[in-house]
Amino acid sequence: MSRPLVALESTVIAHGLPYPQNYHTALRLEAIIREEGAEPRTCGFASGEPVAGLDPEQLVHFSRSQDIVKASLRDLAIVAARRLDAATTVATTMWVAHHHGIEVFVTGGLGGVHRGDDFDESADLLALATIPVLVVCAGAKAILDLPRTRERLETLGVPVIGYGTDVVPAFYTRSTDLPVDARCDSPAEVAAIWRAHRKLGLRTGMLVTVPVPEEEALDETVANEAIAAALAAANEQGVRGKNLTPFLLSHIAASTGEASLRANLALLENNARIGARIAVAL
Ligand code: PSU
Ligand code: MN
């Protein structure tokens, strides 16, 4: 019997983490998924073609090159027509995964509604509303407006599952006061809800949120201060649009040093393990 497939994104590699940690992380996540009995498929666009399963050479290229485009949904046609190399976000990794018949996708943090600007809303939410893929993440990134992001997911009909938690985690930290729609404590429970979702013919994605491992979670005060400083810097320098998320993440990485990087790596590895187990349970 062939092993179940698990998709991974490439924006976190090309634009979300520094070199060389990004490359090592890409390989580590793939290894964890194999350990759990599934097959990893890191997604991206190579010379304008959608790829589910970048090879090690391509992963080096995506980790080191400064010329990798960050591609969300609105960029795909341009990337394809111009034959560009492009890293896929949550939104476009869902698209590539679905295109290749992959149902489970593991990532770190979801995009959502940015703070102070209700119109800057990630296409990750549109993708969740329209592409039937199960996305395992550590919540929406804490740099966002989490209550508004939670409301949008509800409006769009996206089930939000808490894996071992009753509240939505906040990426660097383990909790918020925002409730999940259902708590699951095993891969089998998640698999049962996803199968029901598909059987009902629902066309939306589903979110499985997993808190960052306790030992590596960022102190809440440290996280909030780093986020406030990053938002102030972005405002001052007029950073907007697709550059905003990478700018905020690298500002936080620089101001908290190792701590936020450690949290980021720990939650990615944990999500890979749980995502693979869910794929196996399916
Ligand atoms: N979370 C991270 N690192 C990242 C991202 C999220 O910790 O690099 C990326 C994901 O690929 C996500 C994207 O889909 O940021 C959202 O960007 P935007 O807000 O521009 O849609
Ligand atoms: Mn945006």
Side-chain angles (χ1 to χ4, degrees):
M1 209 183 87
S2 62
R3 287 149 66 99
L5 302 180
V6 174
L8 292 160
E9 67 158 298
S10 46
T11 292
V12 63
I13 301 167
H15 306 284
L17 292 170
Y19 182 80
Q21 282 97 338
N22 56 356
Y23 177 62
H24 295 305
T25 303
L27 295 186
R28 178 87 189 110
L29 298 179
E30 294 199 345
I32 289 170
I33 288 170
R34 287 195 188 95
E35 270 169 35
E36 296 294 332
E39 272 302 311
R41 292 285 184 268
T42 302
C43 298
F45 274 71
S47 307
E49 296 290 333
V51 177
L54 293 169
D55 62 34
E57 216 168 288
Q58 288 171 316
L59 288 175
V60 172
H61 175 53
F62 273 62
S63 300
R64 295 175 66 160
S65 168
Q66 299 298 309
D67 300 321
I68 307 291
V69 178
K70 172 183 163 187
S72 194
L73 291 172
R74 47 90 188 274
D75 305 299
L76 290 190
I78 300 161
V79 165
R82 297 191 172 164
R83 309 205 163 284
L84 303 177
D85 291 335
T88 47
T89 62
V90 169
T92 43
T93 304
M94 287 179 76
W95 187 90
V96 175
H98 186 58
H99 188 75
H100 288 86
I102 304 172
E103 283 192 281
V104 178
F105 160 36
V106 165
T107 185
L110 186 72
V113 184
H114 278 276
R115 296 193 198 180
D117 185 353
D118 294 354
F119 288 98
D120 186 351
E121 176 177 318
S122 176
D124 291 357
L125 297 181
L126 175 71
L128 278 162
T130 54
I131 304 174
V133 168
L134 184 162
V135 181
V136 180
C137 71
K141 285 160 297 172
I143 54 170
L144 300 169
D145 187 323
L146 296 181
R148 281 197 171 81
T149 301
R150 179 73 189 87
E151 284 296 334
R152 291 293 290 146
L153 288 164
E154 179 181 329
T155 304
L156 297 169
V158 178
V160 178
I161 307 299
Y163 195 86
T165 177
D166 297 303
V167 292
V168 180
F171 194 69
Y172 297 118
T173 57
R174 290 174 56 85
S175 65
T176 58
D177 51 12
L178 305 166
V180 296
D181 297 315
R183 174 186 175 133
C184 289
D185 291 295
S186 69
E189 276 181 84
V190 176
I193 296 176
W194 178 248
R195 277 196 299 264
H197 187 82
R198 300 296 287 140
K199 198 165 164 214
L200 290 167
L202 297 167
R203 303 289 304 160
T204 63
M206 182 168 109
L207 214 53
V208 176
T209 61
V210 189
V212 56
E214 192 129 38
E215 321 79 70
E216 304 293 349
L218 217 56
D219 177 78
E220 208 157 301
T221 314
V222 170
N224 288 338
E225 280 170 7
I227 291 163
L231 290 165
N235 201 22
E236 212 164 279
Q237 296 175 38
V239 182
R240 328 185 53 147
K242 73 194 293 178
N243 296 327
L244 183 58
T245 294
F247 176 91
L248 293 172
L249 294 174
S250 62
H251 197 282
I252 291 168
S255 71
T256 61
E258 287 292 295
S260 69
L261 190 60
R262 273 212 315 275
N264 208 335
L265 300 182
L267 66 86
L268 280 165
E269 293 185 7
N270 189 45
N271 292 352
R273 203 168 288 290
I274 289 163
R277 289 179 188 165
I278 292 169
V280 169
L282 279 168

